[in-house]
Amino acid sequence: MRRNMPRVEAFVFDLFGVIISFDNDIVPARLARHCTDPDEALQHLEGLMARPEIITGEVTLHQVHRRLVDVHGLALTYPQFEAAWLEPYSWPMPGMADLVKALSENHRLVLLSNVDHYYWQVVQAMQPELQHFTELLVSCDLGYAKPAPEAFLCAGRAADADPERCLFVDDTQANVEAARALGFQTHWFRDVPGLHRTLKGSTTKDA
């Protein structure tokens, strides 16, 4: 963080890989073993949870189920498929809940996440620290996802601060670069100690 950057007034946080840890390979593995050819299905289902049409709500979970039945011979009924989709594949990121709570005392916090409508309900029930955020912006409600510029501009409006006075934190480098191109201060999240070091070197108020 450069010392001559404007004072940070608000934070825009990614969810998966920052606020919570996750493994996107868990759900494809759960589903693939119920397909006609598990190995082939697993290969084709890679990245399923992050596909744009799913995280922006263009397709429903019923449609995803039907597609997997038709293409891969998925042997699960829809209720069984839904249960497999909603079974948690994420867990708290150690140290982030306390940091979020501390930052919220003096800053506006905005969550900007790519997530489908169905699993988002699971996350909200599991993560009480989300109550400390001023705004919760998710792709399934917005209709677009990071790294689309519209997502970052929406987050800037929710933060009620100019981009150069917002610190955007994300574990995906492409998203960090997209935010930086729009004028946000950024931190490419690798671990909690690294974020603490960035905060200590920044111009945040009482961070």
Side-chain angles (χ1 to χ4, degrees):
M1 181 72 65
R2 297 191 301 274
R3 292 283 183 176
N4 61 346
M5 293 297 288
R7 182 183 299 276
V8 172
E9 298 176 357
F11 290 86
V12 179
F13 280 105
D14 176 33
L15 176 63
F16 294 100
V18 177
I19 302 299
I20 58 178
S21 297
F22 73 107
D23 186 344
N24 260 346
D25 294 332
I26 290 176
V27 176
R30 281 183 200 148
L31 300 176
R33 64 174 175 261
H34 298 286
C35 294
T36 303
D37 186 333
D39 292 336
E40 180 184 28
L42 184 60
Q43 188 175 33
H44 284 89
L45 295 179
E46 183 178 358
L48 177 67
M49 311 301 291
R51 291 183 183 173
E53 68 272 19
I54 294 175
I55 60 176
T56 60
E58 291 181 25
V59 298
T60 67
L61 206 55
H62 280 280
Q63 290 172 311
V64 176
H65 173 253
R66 174 47 55 190
R67 185 182 301 170
L68 295 183
V69 170
D70 293 343
V71 176
H72 297 290
L74 180 69
L76 298 177
T77 65
Y78 178 75
Q80 292 171 329
F81 167 74
E82 183 181 42
W85 190 277
L86 298 180
E87 185 179 345
Y89 61 89
S90 59
W91 51 92
M93 179 75 73
M96 282 304 296
D98 290 340
L99 179 58
V100 163
K101 181 179 179 181
L103 289 174
S104 70
E105 295 176 359
N106 296 290
H107 302 83
R108 292 176 65 86
L109 304 185
V110 174
L111 186 78
L112 184 62
S113 176
N114 290 350
V115 60
D116 68 90
H117 170 75
Y118 308 90
Y119 196 71
W120 172 231
Q121 309 307 312
V122 175
V123 171
Q124 287 181 290
M126 291 174 57
Q127 306 300 143
E129 65 268 30
L130 294 179
Q131 67 183 307
H132 299 299
F133 282 81
T134 307
E135 294 281 352
L136 302 173
L137 303 178
V138 290
S139 58
C140 56
D141 290 337
L142 295 174
Y144 40 78
K146 296 175 293 182
E150 294 87 351
F152 300 105
L153 296 176
C154 186
R157 290 192 294 270
D160 195 26
D162 292 334
E164 61 267 22
R165 294 189 178 275
C166 297
L167 179 63
F168 174 72
V169 181
D170 199 298
D171 68 316
T172 300
Q173 190 171 17
N175 294 338
V176 170
E177 292 173 354
R180 186 181 302 126
L182 292 170
F184 286 82
Q185 297 187 48
T186 60
H187 172 79
W188 183 20
F189 185 91
R190 311 310 294 164
D191 53 42
V192 175
L195 177 56
H196 275 288
R197 288 192 294 272
T198 289
L199 294 178
K200 287 181 180 178
S202 74
T203 54
T204 56
K205 297 178 293 183
D206 306 318

